[in-house]
Amino acid sequence: MSAPPPPMSLLAELTHRCPLQCPYCSNPLMLDPRTQELSTTEWQRVLDEAALMGVLQVHFSGGEPMARPDLPELVRHAAQAGLYSNLITSGVLIRQDTLRALADAGLDHIQLSFQDVDPASADRIANMAGAHAKKLEAARLITAEGLPLTLNFVIHRQNAERVPAMLELAEQLGARRVEIAHTQYYGWGLLNRDALLPDRAQIEATTEAVAAARTRLAGRMSIDFVTPDYYEDRPKPCMGGWGQRFLNITPTGKVLPCHAAETIPDITFPNVREAGLAAIWEDSPIFNLFRGTEWMPEPCQSCAFKEEDWGGCRCQALALAGKADAADPVCHKAPDHKQVTQAIAQRPQTPPPFRYRRFGNA
Ligand code: FES
């Protein structure tokens, strides 16, 4: 088999530590402890290897990546290696001096997450008093520093009606781009699905609000919109296809094709402490497991869209159908599609309390 083209993006999860406890966090239920995190020199070697194999962008993420005091050093190293760098942050640890250090190190872009526009609701979702006020201040500091800013709002049944106000806030804060992204349901999101899953009327209302804002803000601010695929007929091309465009490195150095891949049982994940990044990308069993189309079962194998959706999401297939190589149950042709329709039908009228993301709460 010929070597696959290099990935475009690397998600560097520097730490799982975070002051927030969002109930839809994309981190695994078993969080990595600080004592086992990769060191500065280990991350620097990974960044060099990534640039050498053709990766274009590094997204510094977490947890909260600003919990790592060596972040400016890593940003500088990425810039020197020729990588475009993006910081994915909650903003609650941003101060003027730390932001200036990142800008001086060559940071290209910041993606700042918000939980809501209503401060009480936002702080409740993040389970951190005062978080929303800190984020507003962070946005002000970022634009004053001249760094390009994207705002990310995670949408669910407990904040969906405030999407129009979220878009107004993004405009007021000077964001160039805003993401209105509905929660996806694996890991903590799956654990809290009944507390998060919107109904169809909420999806329609948010779709209309985004369409109206796109018209109003054309040429001034771009809007990305991600719907929950539970209400779609066809699966999403998760990660742009398994092992095709993206790789994820966990705080302890495991290399994954997606952020939820650790849910797949009986797999030994390769680690940058034991092997080179290019060799892992090209040859490791986990990256080749669902690469391309040969692994696909029916009805995916004979589907006209198999090279558009690449079989959907493997982690969702595992979560809902019990097998990572099953057809993604979101697809209306999948044998396990009823898992999705039942989750929607059995959604309780009143959302249950959140199970917050924190060490030991899974
Ligand atoms: Fe793992 Fe979609 S999240 S394949």
Side-chain angles (χ1 to χ4, degrees):
M1 202 164 57
S2 59
M8 194 171 77
S9 304
L10 161 65
L11 186 76
E13 286 181 354
L14 299 182
T15 180
H16 280 162
R17 290 171 285 139
C18 184
L20 271 54
Q21 300 182 357
C22 305
Y24 44 70
C25 181
S26 64
N27 287 163
L29 298 179
M30 292 293 293
L31 298 164
D32 289 343
R34 176 184 198 153
T35 49
Q36 290 170 23
E37 290 176 6
L38 293 182
S39 67
T40 309
T41 48
E42 284 172 317
W43 274 117
Q44 287 171 332
R45 177 175 56 78
V46 167
L47 293 168
D48 288 339
E49 288 182 15
L52 208 61
M53 67 190 278
V55 170
L56 300 176
Q57 309 168 347
V58 58
H59 303 274
F60 291 109
S61 174
E64 173 47 64
M66 294 208 59
R68 290 268 309 215
D70 59 354
L71 182 61
E73 229 176 308
L74 297 178
V75 167
R76 187 176 302 282
H77 201 88
Q80 285 165 350
L83 293 163
Y84 176 93
S85 59
N86 175 33
L87 174 65
I88 300 174
T89 179
S90 67
V92 297
L93 301 181
I94 284 183
R95 300 187 319 260
Q96 191 157 30
D97 57 335
T98 51
L99 193 62
R100 179 66 50 83
L102 291 169
D104 289 347
L107 184 68
D108 290 299
H109 180 268
I110 296 187
Q111 179 183 315
L112 178 62
S113 67
F114 276 85
Q115 279 63 36
D116 205 330
V117 282
D118 174 71
S121 171
D123 289 357
R124 183 181 71 85
I125 293 165
N127 204 24
M128 178 183 166
H132 187 70
K134 287 182 194 292
K135 286 163 182 273
L136 292 174
E137 174 62 5
R140 195 188 62 72
L141 291 171
I142 293 164
T143 46
E145 194 61 45
L147 279 162
L149 172 66
T150 293
L151 298 192
N152 169 271
F153 289 94
V154 180
I155 309 302
H156 44 78
R157 67 183 291 182
Q158 302 199 39
N159 66 7
E161 69 270 23
R162 289 183 287 281
V163 165
M166 292 172 193
L167 290 161
E168 279 169 27
L169 178 65
E171 195 184 357
Q172 283 163 21
L173 292 176
R176 297 189 191 175
R177 203 167 137 251
V178 61
E179 294 175 351
I180 301 291
H182 276 273
T183 312
Q184 305 292 312
Y185 299 103
Y186 8 75
W188 294 92
L190 185 63
L191 197 66
N192 284 291
R193 187 173 64 187
D194 284 342
L196 297 167
L197 186 66
D199 63 20
R200 194 172 286 280
Q202 287 180 302
I203 306 291
E204 285 166 6
T206 54
T207 305
E208 280 168 26
V210 168
R214 277 185 173 149
T215 305
R216 185 169 60 81
L217 298 167
R220 282 190 285 148
M221 189 173 79
S222 63
I223 305 171
D224 290 342
F225 182 44
V226 180
T227 54
D229 57 0
Y230 275 41
Y231 288 95
E232 303 288 342
D233 283 342
R234 286 180 37 206
K236 60 180 181 280
C238 198
M239 303 294 136
W242 183 275
Q244 296 198 47
R245 302 168 66 81
F246 173 90
L247 53 77
N248 184 35
I249 302 182
T250 72
T252 56
K254 279 180 265 182
V255 188
L256 313 176
C258 69
H259 47 268
E262 282 183 273
T263 54
I264 299 174
D266 306 323
I267 298 269
T268 306
F269 291 97
N271 195 299
V272 292
R273 284 177 166 141
E274 288 149 17
L277 201 56
I280 290 172
W281 173 255
E282 290 172 17
D283 302 326
S284 65
I286 181 70
F287 275 88
N288 285 312
L289 196 55
F290 304 119
R291 195 173 249 151
T293 58
E294 274 172 32
W295 62 272
M296 289 181 182
E298 290 296 348
C300 312
Q301 194 52 254
S302 51
C303 177
F305 301 111
K306 70 179 176 184
E307 292 194 0
E308 286 179 30
D309 60 36
W310 300 105
C313 179
R314 299 301 85 224
C315 302
Q316 186 150 268
L318 175 71
L320 297 179
K323 290 191 303 178
D325 60 355
D328 187 336
V330 156
C331 181
H332 67 287
K333 292 192 279 185
D336 296 292
H337 184 58
K338 65 177 181 308
Q339 298 291 343
V340 173
T341 51
Q342 274 172 6
I344 294 171
Q346 290 168 3
R347 176 182 168 276
Q349 209 55 38
T350 307
F354 289 137
R355 284 183 68 180
Y356 286 110
R357 173 255 197 231
R358 58 175 167 250
F359 287 86
N361 201 28

